[in-house]
Amino acid sequence: MSRTTGTDPAAGHVLWRTPEEPRRGPRRGLTLDEVARAAVEVADRDGLAGLSMQRVAAEVGLTKMALYRYVANKDELEAVMIDAAVEEPPAPDALAGTWREQAEEFARLVSDVWTRHPWLPWVTVGERVMGPREVGWVEAAVRVFEPLGLTPDERMDAVSMLFGHLRTTLATASAGTRPWTADPAGGSTMRDLVAAHAERYPALTAVMTDPGRPVVSRWDFGLRCLLDGFAAAARRREGSR
Amino acid sequence: MSRTTGTDPAAGHVLWRTPEEPRRGPRRGLTLDEVARAAVEVADRDGLAGLSMQRVAAEVGLTKMALYRYVANKDELEAVMIDAAVEEPPAPDALAGTWREQAEEFARLVSDVWTRHPWLPWVTVGERVMGPREVGWVEAAVRVFEPLGLTPDERMDAVSMLFGHLRTTLATASAGTRPWTADPAGGSTMRDLVAAHAERYPALTAVMTDPGRPVVSRWDFGLRCLLDGFAAAARRREGSR
DNA sequence: GGAGACTGTGTACGGTAGACACAGAAGACG
DNA sequence: CGTCTTCTGTGTCTACCGTACACAGTCTCC
């Protein structure tokens, strides 16, 4: 982790380093991008638990130790595969309409990518170095909320909440469950458990007997609540101004 | 995994099994509860990554293989330690006031527990068998939203979103970061990265230059937005009735 | 034609979860 | 009392994980 510029805290990180060809020695058989895409493929196929240096190495036809010529460790591999998987963020003029329409469209875009790579909602949490594309997605999200009269901090909070909501929804959805059963329930078992102990959980029993709406309408409800909440916050700001 | 009742899907799971003394053989030196509490202690001290069968076994003075006499595998150990850590959920009459005050109080209670055990927000996701206490917390949350005119499904969605919000907030807070920097950013590095590439991320740059409010006010903002959103949904229901 | 830098390989280490066989303890039953 | 049976805890073993390190081979620069 050696800083080169002094201003860029992650200059030493593969994600933000411009790849400069070494002068001497044998050419490397792969690019960092190929490694990243192979890792994405492994995670898509075998899940996050099935992702190991061994498997990724086998995918590209190398020994696992050769991978360490491309990334410093597994965390860095994860970082580059995230930035490879999220693809390009929407351009500034890609989203049109009111802020609300833009937010809905943005959520749909994130949902698309995170559905294509179901492990993404699980790894885009916690302390780590983000890649340029991932930061680009956050940038795009911040842009969406600019028309609202929120303070910068509130705008960022809104972005955070939007991503959080998508994560919660999509992470559990990818687990093959209807969204709420797994939060913090997890699995259809909660429904059965409640049914087996109805006297102990009356409020839940009442909820569980509901026939249930289709997933799409649940998705709408959550997002709508969130955006309504932001709108209310914006109104508060407007009023106090 | 042998069902005993037929109606209870997790009857074979330690979490829902009433512990019946075996007739013959030596007495076991520990109770399941002691094992669970030891595991909680390890996780509190060494974090989730530091939690291994080995460490927990050492904590209680056993070999790791002896642990398998108490739990079937590590997942089951995690399950029992979750239910041990969350403690008793609030009683039906423990929360008072309007639904909004109750929701705020409930959020505070969850926050307390999840702060005491910072690994909790990370493990209470995904497909798994919940314990009786954890289900009790969900039950309590559902009760809070009963006064609102939401449909059962919407009520459950609201609960899910509330937990999701708390998880996002507390998981990142425990990582030693201010909430939003880690979502999906992660770490103060995002701030620095944006600063180093200001021309590329203008919207983010504008946000980052903000001095920033104290954490407590960010907490309020998020929760307030969420509850405002629920209130709006309830108003929609009222209006259409 | 070196010298030196770089890539990919092989080996080794300490960690993980868990399968399995076994020694010993303790109640059940003759 | 002795024996049978069942249960607990131990020790050993396998397969895998991330990764440190030494080394062989390859390429460019001087």
Side-chain angles (χ1 to χ4, degrees):
Chain A
M1 182 68 97
S2 64
R3 298 195 181 190
T4 52
T5 64
T7 58
D8 192 336
H13 199 284
V14 269
L15 275 172
W16 295 88
R17 194 165 38 201
T18 42
E20 63 185 83
E21 283 288 309
R23 296 279 164 231
R24 274 174 277 199
R27 301 268 165 76
R28 38 173 58 179
L30 279 64
T31 62
L32 179 61
D33 213 66
E34 285 172 309
V35 172
R37 269 182 287 153
V40 168
E41 187 123 348
V42 171
D44 285 348
R45 193 190 331 120
D46 305 333
L48 213 51
L51 183 82
S52 72
M53 300 303 270
Q54 193 88 257
R55 296 259 193 110
V56 176
E59 184 81 14
V60 295
L62 289 181
T63 53
K64 64 173 174 175
M65 287 318 291
L67 276 188
Y68 287 93
R69 297 285 176 196
Y70 295 82
V71 290
N73 49 43
K74 201 189 177 185
D75 277 357
E76 207 173 78
L77 175 67
E78 232 171 59
V80 298
M81 69 187 279
I82 290 172
D83 222 53
V86 296
E87 302 167 23
E88 281 301 321
D93 55 355
L95 302 172
T98 64
W99 70 268
R100 202 180 181 105
E101 288 164 346
Q102 288 188 37
E104 282 161 358
E105 174 66 7
F106 180 83
R108 210 187 53 73
L109 290 176
V110 173
S111 166
D112 281 351
V113 174
W114 283 6
T115 304
R116 264 201 300 281
H117 308 289
W119 45 274
L120 267 178
W122 300 90
V123 291
T124 48
V125 256
E127 196 115 20
R128 74 194 192 290
V129 176
M130 292 175 65
R133 276 192 282 260
E134 198 182 350
V135 175
W137 280 90
V138 181
E139 165 85 9
V142 173
R143 272 197 312 262
V144 166
F145 292 118
E146 270 176 349
L148 268 85
L150 299 174
T151 70
D153 259 344
E154 289 171 344
R155 213 177 311 155
M156 198 64 212
D157 280 349
V159 170
S160 169
M161 290 182 71
L162 179 59
F163 275 114
H165 174 62
L166 295 176
R167 184 174 359 266
T168 299
T169 312
L170 295 172
T172 58
S174 75
T177 332
R178 293 171 63 211
W180 52 263
T181 50
D183 195 30
S188 55
T189 34
M190 168 145 142
R191 188 172 218 107
D192 305 328
L193 281 173
V194 169
H197 300 86
E199 76 294 337
R200 193 164 169 185
Y201 308 110
L204 269 171
T205 305
V207 168
M208 292 301 186
T209 52
D210 194 63
R213 293 166 287 134
V215 176
V216 55
S217 118
R218 327 187 119 268
W219 164 272
D220 277 349
F221 175 79
L223 192 56
R224 196 165 172 183
C225 279
L226 213 54
L227 299 185
D228 281 346
F230 298 155
R235 271 196 305 275
R236 280 202 305 273
R237 278 268 156 257
E238 298 275 335
S240 71
R241 210 195 304 180
Chain B
M1 181 67 96
S2 63
R3 299 195 179 189
T4 52
T5 64
T7 57
D8 192 336
H13 198 282
V14 269
L15 275 172
W16 295 89
R17 195 166 38 200
T18 42
E20 61 186 83
E21 283 287 307
R23 296 277 164 231
R24 273 174 278 200
R27 302 267 165 76
R28 39 172 59 178
L30 280 63
T31 62
L32 180 60
D33 214 67
E34 286 171 309
V35 172
R37 268 182 287 151
V40 168
E41 187 123 346
V42 171
D44 284 348
R45 191 189 333 119
D46 305 333
L48 255 186
L51 182 82
S52 73
M53 301 302 271
Q54 195 88 255
R55 297 259 192 109
V56 176
E59 185 80 14
V60 294
L62 289 181
T63 51
K64 69 168 175 179
M65 288 318 291
L67 275 188
Y68 288 94
R69 297 285 176 195
Y70 295 82
V71 290
N73 48 44
K74 201 188 177 184
D75 277 358
E76 208 172 78
L77 175 67
E78 232 170 60
V80 298
M81 69 187 278
I82 290 172
D83 223 53
V86 296
E87 301 166 24
E88 281 302 322
D93 55 355
L95 302 172
T98 64
W99 71 267
R100 199 179 184 107
E101 288 163 346
Q102 288 188 37
E104 281 162 359
E105 174 66 6
F106 180 83
R108 210 188 52 74
L109 289 177
V110 174
S111 166
D112 281 352
V113 175
W114 283 7
T115 304
R116 263 201 302 279
H117 309 287
W119 45 273
L120 267 179
W122 300 90
V123 291
T124 48
V125 256
E127 195 115 19
R128 73 194 193 289
V129 176
M130 293 174 66
R133 276 192 281 260
E134 199 182 350
V135 175
W137 280 90
V138 182
E139 164 86 8
V142 172
R143 272 198 312 261
V144 166
F145 292 118
E146 271 176 349
L148 268 84
L150 299 175
T151 70
D153 259 344
E154 288 171 345
R155 213 178 311 156
M156 198 64 213
D157 280 349
V159 170
S160 168
M161 291 182 70
L162 179 59
F163 275 113
H165 174 62
L166 294 177
R167 188 179 349 272
T168 299
T169 311
L170 295 172
T172 58
S174 76
T177 333
R178 292 172 64 210
W180 53 262
T181 50
D183 194 33
S188 54
T189 33
M190 167 146 143
R191 188 172 218 109
D192 305 327
L193 282 173
V194 170
H197 301 86
E199 74 295 339
R200 193 164 169 186
Y201 308 110
L204 269 171
T205 304
V207 167
M208 292 301 185
T209 52
D210 194 62
R213 294 165 286 135
V215 176
V216 56
S217 117
R218 328 188 118 266
W219 164 272
D220 277 350
F221 175 79
L223 192 56
R224 197 166 172 181
C225 279
L226 214 53
L227 299 185
D228 281 346
F230 299 155
R235 272 196 303 276
R236 280 201 306 273
R237 279 269 156 255
E238 298 275 334
S240 70
R241 208 195 305 178

